[in-house]
Amino acid sequence: MRRERISEDIHIFTSELYAHVTATVIFTDEGAIVVDTLPFPAESREMAEFVRAHSPRGVRFVINTHFHADHVYGNYLFRDAAIIAHRQCRQKLLEIGEESLKAAKAETPGLEEVELVLPTIVFDHEMGLRLGHRLLRLIHLPGHTEDGIGVLVEGDRILIAGDAVMPLPYFAWGDRLQLRHSLQRVREMNLESIIQGHGDVLLRGEIPEVLDRHIHYLDCIRDYVAEVVSQGKPRSVLKSSLPEECGESSIPLDGLVRQLHYANLLRLYEDMTDQRSIEAILASA
Ligand SMILES: [Zn+2]
């Protein structure tokens, strides 16, 4: 696992076991705040030990940016902390959490000791959180999933974005337009840096360009799939498409983005063929 320090009191942990997923720790005199908890105990435990060694008052809050396993499975290592998330995050985990964890344990070695621990403090749109010298603003940023939130560190203008910002916008389980809207919103926040849910930190100078590229990508793949559908082509043609055709790169996250891209296209194809007319999709731009 990689650890880096982004400011005096903020450390980022990046997994080397799963898709470069990140977790963030904010230290204050009154205790620490952990944002996301990584999927594998080996790494979650390493992070928990680091935080305890450097925070005499322990971990006061854990914030989950959304319900996906790679962001919540480590919750059980922070028993003393209150866990905060969007209302839908708790709901999703209540509905499918235990079943998904059981399936994951059957398939993936290394998860044996994981226990599901649910958020107990939930919100819908926005919430403030003060601890020590830090003031955080938790903001609903749906699209990757319906329950997605970002954590804005006031003062430093750092956004811990969860999967609302990742090397390729990914909405196969969410909603393309919602994600586009969330990216626009992040674009307007005038940020110093963005801690992505997966991959490297984005710095001030590159943020507008990266977000514009992501927004363009979301429009471009919609147009591409609409054309495939209008020409009556089968979904199998989508398989050969590359993120580069819509301005993104295939390289990040060890190439995983190619799969994310394909899943995005399939999702659009299904939406356009099953539920709504292409005209409606195009009109909703
Ligand atoms: Zn996710």
Side-chain angles (χ1 to χ4, degrees):
M1 186 166 58
R2 222 176 61 205
R3 177 171 61 80
E4 65 188 303
R5 193 171 187 175
I6 187 174
S7 76
E8 182 82 12
D9 52 350
I10 303 179
H11 294 248
I12 304 164
F13 295 80
T14 306
S15 174
E16 288 171 323
L17 297 175
Y18 184 77
H20 304 258
V21 62
T22 67
T24 305
V25 179
I26 302 165
F27 290 100
T28 82
D29 290 345
E30 292 180 25
I33 300 166
V34 171
V35 184
D36 287 344
T37 53
L38 305 169
F40 284 103
E43 291 184 329
S44 305
R45 198 172 280 287
E46 191 184 325
M47 173 169 76
E49 280 163 13
F50 177 86
V51 181
R52 284 197 186 96
H54 293 85
S55 176
R57 306 196 54 178
V59 177
R60 297 281 303 279
F61 298 101
V62 167
I63 301 170
N64 291 141
T65 60
H66 61 299
F67 75 95
H68 281 163
D70 47 339
H71 301 261
V72 305
Y73 274 4
N75 285 2
Y76 75 103
L77 291 168
F78 303 93
R79 295 278 185 191
D80 298 338
I83 302 181
I84 307 172
H86 192 268
R87 186 184 305 276
Q88 291 292 334
C89 176
R90 180 179 162 85
Q91 193 53 36
K92 273 283 182 191
L93 288 171
L94 269 174
E95 285 167 12
I96 61 163
E98 287 295 351
E99 204 181 316
S100 311
L101 177 59
K102 205 173 146 200
K105 283 183 178 180
E107 277 172 23
T108 315
L111 293 174
E112 295 79 7
E113 65 172 70
V114 174
E115 292 167 47
L116 202 64
V117 179
L118 267 49
T120 51
I121 301 174
V122 298
F123 68 99
D124 287 307
H125 301 293
E126 199 163 313
M127 108 173 230
L129 178 66
R130 179 178 280 287
L131 188 66
H133 67 292
R134 280 300 188 187
L135 178 60
L136 308 182
R137 200 144 60 87
L138 284 57
I139 305 161
H140 191 204
L141 294 174
H144 169 73
T145 52
E146 204 185 332
D147 67 329
I149 62 165
V151 179
L152 179 66
V153 182
E154 302 263 18
D156 287 0
R157 302 210 64 75
I158 296 168
L159 180 72
I160 305 162
D163 288 356
V165 185
M166 50 191 285
L168 188 83
Y170 181 47
F171 60 88
W173 308 103
D175 182 275
R176 186 190 68 87
L177 270 180
Q178 270 189 348
L179 183 55
R180 191 185 194 283
H181 182 75
S182 290
L183 289 171
Q184 285 279 13
R185 193 161 174 208
V186 174
R187 174 84 165 78
E188 286 155 19
M189 285 181 189
N190 186 28
L191 297 165
E192 282 298 325
S193 40
I194 297 177
I195 301 171
Q196 306 189 90
H198 298 256
D200 295 332
V201 174
L202 301 178
L203 302 175
R204 182 176 184 81
E206 61 186 334
I207 288 171
E209 181 195 325
V210 169
L211 295 176
D212 286 347
R213 190 174 74 222
H214 289 343
I215 291 164
H216 165 76
Y217 168 82
L218 290 174
D219 293 342
C220 176
I221 59 171
R222 178 210 56 210
D223 293 346
Y224 165 67
V225 176
E227 200 177 317
V228 167
V229 171
S230 72
Q231 291 171 355
K233 291 181 184 167
R235 75 186 64 200
S236 56
V237 306
L238 304 174
K239 183 96 194 174
S240 60
S241 168
L242 289 172
E244 277 77 358
E245 288 160 34
C246 282
E248 298 278 9
S249 165
S250 293
I251 294 168
L253 307 183
D254 305 325
L256 175 70
V257 288
R258 269 198 75 168
Q259 289 171 42
L260 305 184
H261 173 65
Y262 182 47
N264 283 338
L265 299 182
L266 281 177
R267 169 63 194 273
L268 286 172
Y269 190 95
E270 272 155 29
D271 283 353
M272 290 185 200
T273 48
D274 295 342
Q275 290 158 26
R276 298 154 65 190
S277 72
I278 300 155
E279 289 73 24
I281 301 267
L282 289 170
S284 69

